[in-house]
Every structure is written in structure tokens, then in C-alpha cells.
């Protein structure tokens, strides 16, 4: 899996694109002007692993709050501008790492567009050109359909072309730190639009599926769309959109990056689906391993990457767990075999196996 | 998104491949020989929406139970054979819709392979050639690396070539109803192996990521891998492997198919991630809409496909919800606008909006 070559831009101190790690984004769902609530949620998102956070900026009160928040958090803040052009300029001057604007708000011909570009350059601020399928006019889609595209392909192409034009206009004005986002509530349209854009631009891409839905379905929809793009090397920063707590968006985003090999998991647990041959409670066991790792990490133990296999099948388990750093495999009699890279360390009860595994993951200092 | 052209085979009464719908599979995690438990789980999986179910068959007691189960359930049953070649023949004679064998268990040159092929043909039974990355020898992978492939690509290619050879051997013997499954615990390897196979064979593919892990991470890993393949038209039946209740596997599988446009959702709810502009409790509202649909369906109401948008943003919401059949958008004052295909039906409280929506989704018979 080769990553698409693209420009590396800076969003505050965080590089996006090129060979930089892929930061996970989320967005505050409390009003920006509610300074205490916004600061608390920012800190909560930072702890959850967010790399960049967006917040709504509509008017002077939000701009003033943004100016304070910038001082309080190490996270780059992206000002989301929907209606108020003056807020875009205000947010840049207040220290936003980036502004996110819809192409429709700043038509490329206007004087306001030139003012935006000049202010971005003056402050070294990044811009995300963010277009949503919901804002694409019906006439443009019908026109693309007449060129022989089906409706989804037409929508994807119009979305990408609109975004490309806005990005090109910014570049012509000398704005360097530009990234693009093309979102649709349809996974297929999202993937097609990003592919189309990626083949025609060297700018980094923020990817996500918009209005993805409730937690469960939204996570699955985002994993399908973001995962498909990441697996073909497209995507430089991601956001999972969920109707719910933004911390859940960060958790899902990190899991998607890990699943697609775009982020080193602190540790990876692979476990087999149980079948009629399983004589141990594998779900409980996998949960205990997951909890052990979480406990060690939250206690500050630095854990190198480890692949840990939890296998129920007494015959295939040990064989399939061979390439894991550590493996646990159930026996027909309900006990557990513990492995280290294929080498059997012994037969244990579940409690004993967890104790042994903890020693293997976080060896006590020598001398103890 | 064009679906890959491939052969349509029959797994019992269920077509797999060609232009058939993509059935979601799962596997019993109770012993097949425990007839009562197996029958109960089969029924539970049928209700959850499983289209095909696999069960472990190791020895005479399992074969005898399979013979009974086949009479009790309308679901096609796939006998999973791991160690015991005689069980494969026994399962076919007992009425299994398909057997799943690892290429290693029946080397293509042996007499037992010929007997297997002849028995499959005699009973019109399908076979799934199922290979896992865990059973690939290290020597073959190293050899492929020497051909210039990186380790993941090498593993994917060796896995696909091994599966292709076994499929070709079966076809030479005249077995028609053949499908293949190539699984790895790495999403990237799974996707690459299936692409390699799909480009070289006209057989249908069963896709899934093996040992995907615990419920949350396993669902995300499977959505990334299965989703990426489905979105490029590859995949004729799917299984999400989770360490947990098989009903969860079916739920996740259905959600993945819906997300990728491979299955019509009974109804689709799109909802925006909330942001600082949202003045209504959108998560609760989306949950209420989801619960309403579930309640109507479980009461036997036939619901045609409807796209329902639940939007928090008072300005973009109605516009973005325009292409939905029905839409709810929060106002700045915390009330809800109800829409039907762009037409505003009125401003309501949450309770009133739910009541109106129920009438729109399931209109009372005229005259009432």
C-alpha cells in the first residue's frame, strides 16, 4: 500500500500530507463562545487522541473565545465558517491554525475572496476547502448526467470539480497551506469524489463521510468509506462524523487508522471468532487482555507495539498465532496455552495466563 | 460502482455470485452435536438476518446433528471441516448445502480429493475453498519476497495462488459450485489477496477479515476490509468475524452492506454530527427515529425504503436534508422543522415531530 504523494502543509504545528502521520480530527459540539465548556471539551479530545480540532465560529463572541482557546490548548484549532465571512478573517487574526470554508461562501471572483487569501498569507494560516454533496446544485448534477455519468458518479465529479476550482483559485493568489475535503452522506459518492480529486491535485485531503449517522451505523459507514480510501493511499487527515460525543469520533478514527495500517497500534489484539470447537470463554479472555493493556498504558507504562493473538481453537490456534508476539490458545480441556513467537511457555489457568502476559508485556525491572 | 462479473453458484437454495444479493454469513459458536443449542442459535441467526450459516463438523456426532438441523431450518448450512476428512463426506451426505475445507486438508493429487469431488457432484453440494494467511508456509512467503514483493504483498499473493490452484483442481474434476475465501488478520493483506484472486478467476468470493478481534475493533476492521472490496465490486457473500455473539456478526454485516450500497436499507437515517450551533439534543432525536423504525418493523409494518435526515443546524440542515424523503432540522430556538422532500410541513416539539413522522412513515388506513 503506497501512500499518494501530495504536498505537506502545516496546520499550526501539525504537518498534514506528505509522509506525516495522519491526524484524527473531531469538532466541538458545545458553543465556542461558552469558553469553559469549549476548553473542557478540547482537553477531553486531546486526551482521547485528537490531533486537530474544529469549532464553529459565527460572529464576534466566537472569535473572542477562539482567541482565548488558542492560548490554552496545544491543539491546532480549525475555525468552521458557515455563514459569516467576517468571522473567517476574525478567526485567522485570532490565531486559528486553519479556517474551513465552503466554496460557495467565498466565490473566487469576489473582493472578499482576495481579502481572505491575503489574510491567510499574512498569518501563515491554513485553509480547508470543504465541500459537501448537500450544497451541490441539482442543475450541475443533471448536466453531468447528460455527459453519460450515473447520478452518483455525476454528483462525485461535480463535487470534486467545484473543490478543485476553489483550490486552484487560492493557489493562484499564493495561498500554500490548502487542504481539501469532499464529503457526501453516501459512501460511494465520497470515495468516488476523493479519487477524482486525488488524481488531479497535489493537495492533501481531509477525508470523512458526512452525516454518517448514529454511533453504530455511523462508525461502520465511516470505516467503509475512510478505510477504502486509506487502503488505496488516499487521506492525510480524517474525521469520523457521529451524532454523539466527539470523543467517540476520535476513538473510531484511531481504530480505523490502526485497522488500515496507517497508525501503529500501541498493541494489537487479534482474536478468532469462536466456533463450536471453543472450550474457553474467549470473549471474556480477549476483553481481559484489552483491559490489561489499557491498565498498563493508563499507568504510564510505555508499551512497544505487540501483536497478541487470542485463539479458541485447540488445533489451529497455536499455528495461526505463530506470527504474533504473544499468543494465548484454548485447549480442549478449557485451559490456556501461552506462546511467545511460536514457543510454548506452558499451560495455565486464565488468571495465571493474564499474570504471565502482564510480565511479558511490562517486564519488572531486573533485580526485582 | 460496477459489481465484478462472476459465476453464480447455489449454496442450497441461496444463489451466491452473479447478480444475486450478497448473503450475510455467520457461524455457530455452540457445538453442532448439542442439537438443541445449535437449533436455537440457528433460529436466532435467521431472525437476525443471516442468509447462510456455517457450523463446525468434526466427527460422527456432528454429522448426525447436521442431518437433523438440515430438516429443521430453511437456512443453507455450511459444514466447516478442519481436521477430519471423513466428516466432509459425511456432511455432504447429511445434506449440508456446502462444505468449507482448507486446501491443505485435501491435496489436489490425492485419492481423497477425487472422492470429495465425486461426492460433491453426486449431491449437487457447493464447496468453499477457504484459505487463511495463518496456514501459509514461511518458505513460500520468503520465495515471493525474493521476486521483489514486500512481505504483505507476498503473503497476499501466495494465499491467492494457493486458493486458485485448489479451485482449478476442483473445476478439472467437474465441480461447478465452487466459491473461494481468502482471509488474513491484516486488512491490507485480505484486500490484496482478494483483488489478486478476483482478477484471475470467475468464481464467487466469500469475503471477511479473519481473527478481527473484539466487537468494537473487529467491526471497524471488518468494515474497512470488506467495505473496501465491496466498493470496488468484489464480494458475493460476507462474514464479519467477531469474538462474541454471532448475532452481532450478522448485524455488522448487514450494516456494512447497507453502507456500501449493496443492500437496500429498510430505512436509512442520516444525521449530522452536532456542532456548537446545535440547539437540540440531536443524538437523542436520531435515537428516537431509529427506535420508531425498529418498533414499526417489529410490529410487522411493511416500510418501503425511506431516507430520513436528522439535522441539527438551523441553516444548512433543511438544505442538506432536501434529498431525503423526510427530514427533521433543529431551529435556533430548539424546536424542530419537519420536511417532506424539501417541503416544510411545520414547526414542532420533539414529541409532536415523532408523532408526525410515524404518520408519514406508516400512514393509518384511509377512513380512520
Amino acid at each position: 500500500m503506497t501512500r499518494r504523494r501530495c504536498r505537506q502543509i502545516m496546520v499550526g504545528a501539525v504537518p498534514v500530507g506528505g509522509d506525516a502521520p495522519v491526524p484524527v480530527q473531531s469538532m466541538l459540539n458545545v458553543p465556542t463562545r461558552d469558553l469553559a465548556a469549549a476548553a473542557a471539551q478540547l482537553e477531553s479530545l486531546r486526551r482521547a487522541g485528537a490531533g486537530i480540532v474544529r469549532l464553529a465560529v459565527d460572529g464576534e463572541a466566537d472569535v473572542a473565545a477562539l482567541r482565548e482557546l488558542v492560548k490554552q490548548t496545544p491543539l491546532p484549532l480549525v475555525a468552521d465558517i458557515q455563514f459569516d465571512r467576517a468571522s473567517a478573517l476574525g478567526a485567522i487574526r485570532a490565531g486559528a491554525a486553519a479556517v474551513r470554508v465552503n466554496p460557495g461562501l467565498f466565490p473566487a471572483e469576489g473582493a472578499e475572496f482576495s481579502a481572505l487569501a491575503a489574510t491567510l498569507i499574512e498569518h501563515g494560516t491554513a485553509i480547508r476547502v470543504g465541500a459537501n454533496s448537500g450544497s451541490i446544485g441539482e442543475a450541475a448534477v443533471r448536466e453531468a448526467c447528460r455527459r453519460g455519468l450515473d447520478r452518483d458518479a455525476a454528483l462525485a465529479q461535480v463535487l470534486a470539480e467545484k473543490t478543485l476550482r476553489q483550490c486552484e483559485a487560492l493557489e493562484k493568489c499564493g495561498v500554500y497551506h490548502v487542504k481539501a475535503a469532499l464529503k457526501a452522506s453516501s459512501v460511494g459518492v465520497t470515495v468516488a469524489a476523493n479519487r477524482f480529486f486525488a488524481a488531479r491535485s497535489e493537495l492533501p485531503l481531509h477525508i470523512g463521510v458526512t452525516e454518517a449517522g448514529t454511533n453504530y451505523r455511523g462508525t461502520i459507514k465511516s470505516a467503509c468509506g475512510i478505510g477504502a480510501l486509506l487502503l488505496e493511499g488516499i487521506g492525510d487527515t480524517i474525521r469520523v462524523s457521529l451524532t454523539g460525543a466527539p470523543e467517540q469520533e476520535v476513538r473510531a478514527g484511531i481504530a480505523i487508522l490502526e485497522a488500515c495500517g496507517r497508525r501503529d497500534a500501541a498493541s494489537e489484539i487479534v482474536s478468532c471468532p469462536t466456533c463450536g470447537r471453543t472450550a474457553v470463554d474467549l470473549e471474556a479472555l480477549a476483553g481481559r487482555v484489552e483491559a490489561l493493556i489499557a491498565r498498563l498504558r493508563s499507568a504510564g507504562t510505555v508499551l512497544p507495539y505487540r501483536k497478541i493473538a487470542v485463539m479458541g481453537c485447540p488445533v489451529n490456534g497455536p499455528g495461526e498465532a505463530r506470527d504474533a508476539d504473544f499468543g494465548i490458545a484454548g485447549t480442549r480441556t478449557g485451559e490456556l496455552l501461552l506462546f511467545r513467537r511460536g514457543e510454548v511457555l506452558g499451560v495455565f489457568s486464565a488468571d495465571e495466563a493474564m499474570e504471565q502476559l502482564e510480565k511479558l508485556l511490562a517486564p519488572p525491572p531486573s533485580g526485582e
Side-chain angles (χ1 to χ4, degrees), chain A:
Chain A
M1 172 173 41
T2 315
R3 185 162 167 189
R4 164 183 169 250
R5 293 169 72 98
C6 73
R7 176 187 302 178
Q8 185 170 98
I9 68 164
M10 296 305 292
V11 176
V14 173
V16 171
D19 58 359
V22 176
V24 173
Q25 303 206 18
S26 185
M27 184 169 180
L28 298 194
N29 67 358
V30 297
T32 303
R33 66 198 73 180
D34 182 348
L35 194 57
Q41 201 173 51
L42 270 175
E43 177 57 14
S44 168
L45 287 171
R46 191 189 63 76
R47 282 172 188 268
I52 297 174
V53 174
R54 186 154 55 112
L55 34 70
V57 179
D58 300 323
E60 261 314 310
D62 286 342
V63 170
L66 171 63
R67 188 174 287 114
E68 285 310 305
L69 291 169
V70 164
K71 296 176 197 155
Q72 293 179 19
T73 180
L75 285 171
L77 300 181
V78 181
D80 189 75
I81 311 298
Q82 288 285 348
F83 333 113
D84 180 31
R85 292 188 194 86
S87 289
L89 304 190
I92 297 168
R93 295 186 184 116
V99 289
R100 181 264 186 189
V101 296
N102 184 305
L105 194 66
F106 284 94
E109 300 76 28
E112 277 160 323
F113 180 85
S114 308
L116 173 67
T119 314
L120 286 168
I121 292 168
E122 183 190 340
H123 293 266
T125 308
I127 181 168
R128 166 178 154 199
V129 176
N132 278 0
S133 59
S135 62
I136 298 296
E138 184 59 27
V141 176
R142 286 218 188 107
E143 168 61 31
C145 286
R146 275 194 288 274
R147 282 184 265 150
L149 297 170
D150 70 30
R151 214 188 142 74
D152 275 5
L155 183 56
Q157 191 165 321
V158 172
L159 183 62
E161 284 168 347
K162 182 178 178 181
T163 312
L164 279 166
R165 279 195 300 276
Q166 187 82 349
C167 290
E168 281 161 14
L170 285 162
E171 296 206 86
K172 264 190 204 155
C173 293
V175 182
Y176 181 84
H177 300 284
V178 182
K179 59 180 171 160
L182 307 94
K183 295 190 180 182
S185 62
S186 151
V187 172
V189 172
T190 303
V191 170
N194 278 282
R195 274 190 196 139
F196 190 93
F197 184 95
R200 286 161 184 80
S201 170
E202 58 149 32
L203 295 178
L205 276 163
H206 164 118
I207 58 173
V209 178
T210 193
E211 300 145 38
T214 52
N215 210 11
Y216 183 75
R217 289 185 173 262
T219 299
I220 286 179
K221 233 171 132 171
S222 294
C224 289
I226 296 173
L229 288 165
L230 288 173
L231 287 166
E232 54 192 76
I234 298 173
D236 304 291
T237 176
I238 70 170
R239 159 136 190 248
V240 175
S241 295
L242 298 176
T243 304
E247 290 83 357
Q248 275 298 110
E249 299 186 343
V250 176
R251 182 186 181 211
I254 290 173
I256 291 170
L257 288 178
E258 288 177 358
C260 297
R262 281 271 170 251
R263 177 183 171 122
D264 285 341
S267 285
E268 183 183 7
I269 301 168
V270 296
S271 55
C272 73
T274 54
C275 71
R277 297 179 188 97
T278 313
V280 293
D281 184 351
L282 210 67
E283 187 175 11
L285 193 66
R288 285 184 72 174
V289 174
E290 212 163 55
L292 168 64
I293 290 171
R295 179 165 62 75
L296 291 170
R297 290 177 73 183
S298 72
T301 309
V302 178
L303 294 180
Y305 172 77
R306 295 280 184 255
K307 184 172 173 183
I308 303 161
V310 183
M311 314 293 289
C313 178
V315 170
N316 277 20
E320 294 190 357
R322 204 179 32 186
D323 70 333
D325 294 293
F326 305 113
I328 295 177
T331 69
R332 285 194 194 265
T333 52
E335 291 177 304
L336 301 172
L337 289 175
L338 191 66
F339 290 89
R340 179 169 47 197
R341 294 179 203 87
E343 173 206 358
V344 179
L345 301 176
V347 182
F348 300 98
S349 70
D351 285 346
E352 289 165 351
M354 295 309 298
E355 213 171 281
Q356 293 294 321
L357 185 60
E358 178 167 352
K359 283 188 195 152
L360 292 168
L361 286 169
S366 57
E368 273 191 21

